[in-house]
């Protein structure tokens, strides 16, 4: 019986999809010709929202078909991600709406459209769940891999089979508008200055070392990634390029579900589990993941030093360096969350996230020096063996209360967040000369902590026909500290002694107090206007001790950041949007800490505690169009950062072979760009997407009174194709290409990545076996970088061995049910209205 019902449902779904395609094509005019003609030439807008009858949650992507009184179809539209649908041209008369979605009973909803031009607003339409259908069939419908929103786009990571068994880093590098460099830094539209959230909340785990933190988060826990290029005033103003919101998997359905995923591969091995439990008003979800990852690579560099007289550069020496590295990482990621519905108006949720990691890095560095004639000076040869062992541990907690009032859209949300990360690192270095005699030993211990406490309150109030008002306040109290103890000796026999110049005690406090107000007005479901502003006051204090010298830092400042968005909707779900916003980027602890890293004696790195925050102006013009099964999205944008925080190199003194690398507010950084995204479904079970981001970067800085300027075009190109066959077998391929990059002092070559995923599901799709391969044609991606300084040219080549092969097995267990909440029904009554 179950198999017969399954076959019947599959045939029904295929028939509906074929019928819908015919109805939306030009050949649909044959059915109900009189009404179809009236549909095409006149009529009014008919809008409504489809919600679950029990939970009142939107039923996203439900199908809404318009029929005449005899049941003949006229047209149909899908609901959006909020359950809202719009029929653009409906003539006067009586009709029937046939609303359907997998797991729900089809609802026939009669409507009457009066004569006139006023839009018809149907309000909420309730869909009843069909528990029996859910028990007997397997849901095969999938969301599009890429979906557009009013503020950006959404990448549905759970629908990308090439992510299975990977990490958050593997997920982000496949998201349109994003790119990732060889060091794991995330870039949005040419800028690495982005704000990354987890479930809409900040995370100190991501603030300390983003590249390493992304390797700790299992991809199997990620549901989707939101890319918000035009954030409203409600969002924290940090992140000059925009906001990335990583959404983890959660279940709001009745019952218990869970999943176990095990992965084995040449670069990573992991085991991840998650469990969701919901009983009426109470929901509980938990996940545990363990990850083992390895990275290997090598690098070479040539540094040509010269003396310049009368614009003539005369080479003085050549220094060659070669290095190898091997990183072994181990991490554990645990999350527990729950929520409780006191009634239809009040909800309380809480989440606790724990993470621990251990990373061992083994690096070798050899340095050789040559005369301009090419003769090696063997007395200057050095070989260094460098080991770093890092332990990280963190806890993140949040408590969130939401109050819904009787008036639709009126809400109060209060949230408290406490995050704390700590790390301990052990560093050791052994240096040998050309006779293998030890010439230097170094040891260092570092203890650092990063603590963040956030209080936030948001209130939303509808103004009837006058729009929607949002306001809120927020306080973020940050504390960071670092303590370095550094010892060295100049031979194997000499005792280790303290080097006060490289020992460092650093504490930094940054408190941000902000408030915002945002107003949204929608007119005739066609125009949307959103204006707002955010005021932020920042109090910065710091204290650091280096070489027995104590320095205090105190820099309070305040900013007002306006925000505006204007959008017009056209027929066929076309949208044209203009937005402007001001963003801020405050310097991080690694950029501020003056600790000197001298593991490479020719390139000494340290932070700059005198950095100021940078301010960025963003403007974007966006156009999107949904044409049947194809989604087009095009943008033109401008971004200008004043007081730009960038890294730069300079020699400690003229004709010296030692370079210093630090950070400074270098000047102006302007970006003019355009992006194009096209995604489409084909043959019902296939998806394809192509994304292009092209931008011109104009950099301007000053060296004394001398103006330094660099400019050039850059681009990102990515694409994906997937297809699901009838026998529960699916295949997907994805690739990305990033053009050469430039900065004020450097230029680097292109990078690329590609992957192929195969997946076979069995046991009624409860189990699955996946094979994913990445960069399988070549074993490494060589990136060459050229850096120009006042007295040297540096040519570097990094070889990152990034061929990946992994096999994953996953098993889903439990049962999903859509059941009515009897207590909720007594409160709300039929139709979602309170009983009198």
């Amino acid at each position: 019986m179950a198999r017969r019902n399954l076959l019947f449902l599959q045939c029904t779904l295929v028939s509906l999809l074929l019928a819908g395609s015919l109805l939306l094509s030009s050949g649909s005019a044959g059915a109900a010709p009189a009404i179809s003609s009236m549909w095409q030439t006149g009529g009014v807008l008919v809008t409504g929202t489809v919600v679950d009858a029990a939970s009142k949650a939107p039923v996203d992507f439900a199908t809404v078909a318009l029929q005449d009184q005899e049941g003949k179809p006229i047209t149909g539209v899908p609901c959006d991600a909020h359950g809202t649908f719009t029929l653009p041209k409906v003539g006067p008369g009586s009709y029937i709406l046939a609303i359907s979605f997998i797991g729900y009973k089809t609802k026939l909803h009669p409507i009457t459209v009066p004569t006139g031009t006023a839009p018809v607003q149907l309000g909420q339409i309730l869909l009843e769940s069909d528990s029996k259908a859910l028990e007997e069939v397997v849901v095969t419908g999938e969301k599009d891999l890429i979906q557009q929103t009013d503020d950006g786009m959404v990448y549905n990571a759970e629908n990308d089979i090439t992510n299975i068994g990977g990490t958050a880093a593997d997920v982000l590098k496949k998201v349109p508008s994003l790119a990732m460099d060889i060091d794991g830094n995330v870039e949005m539209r040419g800028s690495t200055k982005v704000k990354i959230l987890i479930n809409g909340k900040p995370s100190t785990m991501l603030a300390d070392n983003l590249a390493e933190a992304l390797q700790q988060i299992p991809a199997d826990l990620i549901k989707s990634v939101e890319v918000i290029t035009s954030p409203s005033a409600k969002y924290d103003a940090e992140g000059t390029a925009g906001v990335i919101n990583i959404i983890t998997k959660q279940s709001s359905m009745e019952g218990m579900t869970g999943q176990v995923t095990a992965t084995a591969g040449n670069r990573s091995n992991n085991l991840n589990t998650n469990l969701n439990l919901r009983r009426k008003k109470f929901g509980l979800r938990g996940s545990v993941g363990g990850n083992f990852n390895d990275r290997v690579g090598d690098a070479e560099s040539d540094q040509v030093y010269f003396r310049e007289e009368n614009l003539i550069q005369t080479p003085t020496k050549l220094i060659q360096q070669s290095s190898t590295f091997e990183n072994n990482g181990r991490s554990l990621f645990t999350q527990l969350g729950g929520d409780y519905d006191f009634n239809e108006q009040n909800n309380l949720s809480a989440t606790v996230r724990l993470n621990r990691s251990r990373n061992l890095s083994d690096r070798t560095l050899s340095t050789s020096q040559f005369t301009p004639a090419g003769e090696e000076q063997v007395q200057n040869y050095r070989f260094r063996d460098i080991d770093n062992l890092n332990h990280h541990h963190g806890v993140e907690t949040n408590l969130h209360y939401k109050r819904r009032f009787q008036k639709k859209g009126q809400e109060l949300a209060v949230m408290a967040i406490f995050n704390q990360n700590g790390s301990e690192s052990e560093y050791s270095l052994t240096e040998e000369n050309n006779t293998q005699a030890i010439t230097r030993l170094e040891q260092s211990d570092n203890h650092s902590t990063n603590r963040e406490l956030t209080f936030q309150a948001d209130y939303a109030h509808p103004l009837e026909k006058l729009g929607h008002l949002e306001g809120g306040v927020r306080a973020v109290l940050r504390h960071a500290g670092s303590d370095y103890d550094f010892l060295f000796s100049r031979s194997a026999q000499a005792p280790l002694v303290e080097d006060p110049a490289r020992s460092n005690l650093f504490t930094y406090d940054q408190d941000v107090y902000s408030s915002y107000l945002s107003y949204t007005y929608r007119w005739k479901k066609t125009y949307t206007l959103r204006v707002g502003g955010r005021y932020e006051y920042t109090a910065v204090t710091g204290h650091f001790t280096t070489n027995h010298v104590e320095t205090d830092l105190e820099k309070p400042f305040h900013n007002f950041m306006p925000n505006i968005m204007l959008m017009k909707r056209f027929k066929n779900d076309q949208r044209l949007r203009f937005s402007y916003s001001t963003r801020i980027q405050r310097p991080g602890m690694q950029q501020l800490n003056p600790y000197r890293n001298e593991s490479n004696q020719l390139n000494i790195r340290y932070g700059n505690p005198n950095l100021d925050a940078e301010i960025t102006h963003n403007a974007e013009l966006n156009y999107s169009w949904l044409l049947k099964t194809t989604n087009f999205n095009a943008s033109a944008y401008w971004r200008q950062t004043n007081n730009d925080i960038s890294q730069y190199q300079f020699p400690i003194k003229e004709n010296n072979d030692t370079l210093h690398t630090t950070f400074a507010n270098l000047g102006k950084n302007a970006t003019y760009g355009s992006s194009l995204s096209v995604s489409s479904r084909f043959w019902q079970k296939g998806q394809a997407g192509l994304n292009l981001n092209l931008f011109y970067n104009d950099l301007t800085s000053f060296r004394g009174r001398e103006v330094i300027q660099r400019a050039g075009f850059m681009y990102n190109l990515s694409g994906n194709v997937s297809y699901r066959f009838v026998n529960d077998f699916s295949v997907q391929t994805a690739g990305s290409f990033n053009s050469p990059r430039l900065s004020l002092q450097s230029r680097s070559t292109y990078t690329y990545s590609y992957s192929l995923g195969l997946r076979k599901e069995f046991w009624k799709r409860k189990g699955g076996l996946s094979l994913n391969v990445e960069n399988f044609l070549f074993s490494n991606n060589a990136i060459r970088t050229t850096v120009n300084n006042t007295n040297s040219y540096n040519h570097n080549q990094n070889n990152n061995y990034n061929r990946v092969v992994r096999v994953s097995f996953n098993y889903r267990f439990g049962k999903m049910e859509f059941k009515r909440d009897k207590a909720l029904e007594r409160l709300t009554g039929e139709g979602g209205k309170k009983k009198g």
Side-chain angles (χ1 to χ4, degrees):
M1 177 65 70
R3 178 175 177 82
R4 186 170 58 200
N5 290 339
L6 174 59
L7 292 174
F8 172 76
L9 180 62
Q10 289 176 335
C11 293
T12 303
L13 288 174
V14 172
S15 300
L16 287 174
L17 289 171
L18 289 174
S21 300
L22 291 173
L23 288 171
L24 293 175
S25 66
S26 60
S28 63
I35 299 177
S36 180
S37 176
M38 180 167 51
W39 169 269
Q40 295 173 359
T41 58
V44 300
L45 293 175
V46 176
T47 64
T49 303
V50 180
V51 300
D52 183 279
S55 66
K56 303 301 181 295
V59 181
D60 49 352
F61 309 104
T63 300
V64 180
L66 183 70
Q67 303 176 352
D68 62 14
Q69 289 295 310
E70 297 179 357
K72 294 181 179 180
I74 301 172
T75 189
V77 295
C79 295
D80 62 15
H82 305 289
T84 301
F85 66 89
T86 301
L87 298 169
K89 292 183 179 181
V90 182
S94 297
Y95 305 90
I96 297 175
L97 291 182
I99 305 169
S100 60
F101 192 69
I102 297 174
Y104 290 88
K105 297 177 182 178
T106 299
K107 181 172 184 118
L108 300 179
H109 185 75
I111 65 171
T112 299
V113 177
T115 303
T117 59
V120 177
Q121 298 182 1
L122 303 178
Q124 291 187 347
I125 300 177
L126 308 183
L127 272 193
E128 303 245 350
S129 63
D130 191 349
S131 299
K132 183 177 180 180
L134 281 176
E135 293 173 2
E136 295 183 348
V137 302
V138 177
V139 178
T140 58
E142 291 184 352
K143 296 180 181 179
D144 291 334
L145 195 62
I146 307 296
Q147 294 172 313
Q148 304 298 329
T149 66
D150 288 349
D151 294 325
M153 51 79 62
V154 175
Y155 166 72
N156 291 305
E158 60 183 349
N159 292 348
D160 190 339
I161 64 173
T162 63
N163 291 326
I164 297 175
T167 65
D170 300 312
V171 173
L172 291 185
K173 67 184 180 182
K174 300 172 188 174
V175 179
S177 299
L178 302 185
M180 187 169 292
D181 64 17
I182 191 172
D183 297 319
N185 299 310
V186 180
E187 178 184 289
M188 178 191 293
R189 289 182 170 178
S191 174
T192 58
K193 297 162 185 177
V194 296
K195 182 69 173 180
I196 300 184
L197 308 175
I198 297 180
N199 295 324
K201 303 174 180 66
S203 170
T204 54
M205 179 180 68
L206 301 177
D208 285 346
N209 189 328
L210 178 61
E212 185 174 321
L214 292 176
Q215 295 288 343
Q216 300 177 29
I217 303 176
D220 306 299
L221 299 182
I222 299 176
K223 176 183 178 182
S224 60
V225 178
E226 291 181 341
V227 178
I228 305 172
T229 57
S230 303
S232 69
K234 181 178 180 179
Y235 284 91
D236 189 9
E238 283 189 283
T240 56
V243 176
I244 300 173
N245 186 21
I246 299 174
I247 302 175
T248 59
K249 294 178 181 178
Q250 302 177 14
S251 176
S252 59
M253 292 175 285
E254 185 86 358
M256 182 191 73
T257 59
Q259 178 171 292
V260 179
T261 303
T263 300
N266 66 322
R267 289 276 301 277
S268 64
N269 298 273
N270 56 62
L271 177 64
N272 303 303
T273 63
N274 65 77
L275 180 68
N276 293 276
L277 176 65
R278 178 162 292 277
R279 288 290 183 265
K280 296 182 178 179
K281 299 182 179 182
F282 179 71
L284 187 66
R285 54 191 176 274
S287 57
V288 178
N291 183 33
F292 298 81
N293 63 83
D294 301 307
R295 290 181 57 204
V296 295
D298 57 68
E300 299 176 354
S301 70
D302 292 334
Q303 302 177 32
V304 180
Y305 292 84
F306 57 84
R307 181 175 62 254
E308 183 174 327
E309 294 180 0
N310 299 323
L311 300 180
I312 299 176
Q313 295 177 351
T314 304
T316 58
K317 59 185 169 183
L318 168 66
I319 295 179
Q320 292 183 341
Q321 290 189 314
S322 62
S323 64
T324 64
F325 73 87
E326 180 178 356
N327 290 337
N328 299 309
R330 309 289 183 262
S331 62
L332 178 65
F333 185 87
T334 307
Q335 180 173 294
L336 180 65
D339 63 273
Y340 183 77
D341 294 314
F342 295 94
N343 48 45
E344 64 173 333
Q345 286 91 18
N346 296 275
N347 173 269
L348 183 66
S349 62
T351 302
V352 178
R353 186 182 300 114
L354 303 174
N355 63 84
R356 298 185 66 88
S357 67
R358 173 187 177 274
N359 187 76
L360 175 61
S361 173
D362 185 7
R363 180 172 174 237
T364 64
L365 176 66
S366 62
T367 303
S368 302
Q369 184 171 322
F370 300 84
T371 66
E375 180 182 356
E376 182 178 2
Q377 298 176 325
V378 293
Q379 69 275 14
N380 292 326
Y381 175 83
R382 294 291 182 271
F383 176 83
R384 290 188 164 193
D385 187 1
I386 307 163
D387 292 323
N388 276 287
L389 177 61
N390 297 296
H391 293 271
H392 295 270
H393 50 85
V395 56
E396 302 181 1
T397 63
N398 68 77
L399 186 65
H400 189 194
Y401 167 74
K402 179 176 284 189
R403 161 74 174 173
R404 298 182 181 90
F405 298 88
Q406 293 183 3
K407 183 181 295 185
K408 182 182 177 181
Q410 185 181 6
E411 292 183 352
L412 173 66
V414 180
M415 181 170 58
I417 304 174
F418 175 76
N419 298 337
Q420 179 167 301
N421 268 8
S423 66
E424 292 81 31
S425 64
E426 300 174 7
Y427 158 86
S428 63
L429 177 147
T430 302
E431 181 185 82
E432 299 176 354
N433 60 16
N434 61 311
T435 63
Q436 297 185 343
I438 295 179
T439 57
R440 187 176 181 86
L441 294 173
E442 294 181 355
Q443 287 185 9
S444 176
D445 293 326
N446 172 253
H447 303 274
S448 64
T449 183
N450 193 336
R451 186 174 65 247
E452 184 173 298
L453 184 62
T454 302
F455 300 98
Q456 181 174 336
D458 301 285
Y459 176 71
H461 189 85
L463 301 174
E464 300 296 342
K465 298 181 179 181
L466 298 178
H468 191 79
L469 192 65
E470 290 182 292
V473 294
R474 178 185 176 97
V476 183
L477 312 177
R478 299 186 177 106
H479 171 79
S482 175
D483 184 4
Y484 277 97
D485 291 322
F486 185 86
L487 305 174
F488 80 103
S489 70
R490 300 188 184 277
S491 68
Q493 293 75 29
L496 294 169
V497 296
E498 181 184 7
D499 184 353
R502 295 179 62 184
S503 297
N504 171 262
L505 179 63
F506 180 71
T507 60
Y508 178 74
D509 291 281
Q510 182 190 93
D511 298 337
V512 182
Y513 305 91
S514 58
S515 60
Y516 75 92
L517 192 64
S518 181
Y519 171 74
T520 305
Y521 178 73
R522 291 181 173 86
W523 183 59
K524 292 185 177 181
K525 299 292 183 179
T526 302
Y527 294 94
T528 301
L529 173 66
R530 184 184 69 207
V531 294
R534 188 177 186 93
Y535 172 79
E536 294 192 347
Y537 173 79
T538 306
V540 174
T541 58
H543 178 84
F544 56 91
T545 303
T546 302
N547 203 15
H548 304 303
V549 177
E550 296 188 1
T551 304
D552 291 317
L553 176 69
E554 186 172 355
K555 283 188 176 182
F557 57 92
H558 60 90
N559 304 91
F560 175 74
M561 286 151 287
N563 183 291
I564 185 171
M565 187 272 287
L566 177 63
M567 183 174 65
K568 181 180 180 180
R569 292 178 180 266
F570 302 88
K571 62 180 181 179
N572 297 330
D573 202 20
Q574 299 178 80
R575 289 182 286 187
L576 182 65
R577 183 188 77 226
F578 170 78
S579 62
Y580 167 81
S581 63
T582 306
R583 311 284 295 170
I584 188 172
Q585 183 76 21
R586 301 175 179 88
M589 181 176 173
Q590 297 300 321
Q591 297 171 319
L592 294 165
N593 193 346
Y595 171 73
R596 294 162 60 93
N597 182 343
E598 298 185 14
S599 58
N600 183 347
Q601 73 273 26
L602 298 180
N603 191 355
I604 300 174
R605 299 173 179 269
Y606 51 90
N608 179 6
N610 296 313
L611 289 175
D612 294 323
E614 62 180 35
I615 301 296
T616 298
H617 303 273
N618 288 286
E620 178 183 8
L621 182 64
N622 177 269
Y623 170 75
S624 62
W625 183 21
L626 177 61
L627 180 62
K628 295 184 179 178
T629 58
T630 302
N631 193 312
F632 298 89
N633 188 279
S635 294
Y637 60 90
W638 165 75
R639 180 179 66 242
Q640 179 168 312
T641 300
N642 299 319
N643 222 21
D644 182 47
I645 299 175
S646 296
Q647 188 179 77
Y648 78 108
Q649 290 183 346
F650 61 96
I652 185 173
K653 59 182 179 180
E654 188 175 358
N655 299 326
N656 190 280
D657 58 7
T658 301
L659 296 175
H660 285 207
T661 300
T662 187
F663 298 89
N665 297 106
L666 292 182
K668 186 182 72 172
N669 185 338
T671 302
Y672 311 87
S674 62
S675 62
L676 175 66
S677 176
V678 181
S679 60
S680 179
R681 287 185 177 271
F682 61 93
W683 300 337
Q684 297 183 8
K685 295 186 178 182
Q687 288 193 61
L690 183 65
N691 310 283
L692 172 65
N693 177 43
L694 173 67
F695 59 96
Y696 180 79
N697 198 201
D698 186 2
L699 306 169
T700 304
S701 183
F702 295 90
R703 181 187 297 153
R705 294 185 177 182
E706 178 187 0
V707 178
I708 304 174
Q709 190 168 18
R710 291 286 300 276
F713 283 97
M714 291 171 276
Y715 63 90
N716 314 110
L717 179 66
S718 65
N720 63 84
V721 180
S722 65
Y723 190 81
R724 180 182 293 277
F725 295 88
V726 178
N727 57 351
D728 289 333
F729 176 78
S730 53
V731 59
Q732 179 164 349
T733 182
S736 64
F737 183 88
N738 302 319
S739 70
R741 292 292 188 262
L742 62 84
S743 69
L744 276 172
Q745 291 182 295
S746 68
R747 181 180 179 86
S748 61
T749 57
Y750 61 86
T751 62
Y752 62 87
S753 176
Y754 52 90
S755 61
L756 174 66
L758 306 175
R759 179 169 174 79
K760 171 64 178 176
E761 294 177 299
F762 39 83
W763 299 337
K764 297 182 179 180
R765 298 186 69 183
K766 290 186 177 180
L769 188 65
S770 303
L771 171 65
N772 287 290
V773 290
E774 298 180 14
N775 309 311
F776 46 86
L777 296 179
F778 306 99
S779 62
N780 74 294
N781 187 2
I783 300 178
R784 293 176 294 277
T785 304
T786 302
V787 182
N788 298 323
N789 291 302
T790 56
N791 67 340
S792 66
Y793 296 117
N794 306 319
H795 305 276
N796 309 296
Q797 177 170 312
N798 290 282
N799 300 308
N800 186 25
Y801 296 93
N802 58 352
R803 178 182 288 164
V804 177
V805 179
R806 60 176 182 263
V807 178
S808 300
F809 170 79
N810 74 292
Y811 177 73
R812 292 186 294 268
F813 57 90
K815 183 179 180 181
M816 300 181 299
E817 297 177 344
F818 288 85
K819 291 186 177 180
R820 286 183 173 274
D821 190 332
K822 300 300 182 181
L824 187 60
E825 281 190 0
R826 286 194 295 269
L827 286 170
T828 61
E830 289 296 324
K833 297 180 180 180
K834 294 190 75 175
K835 293 183 178 181

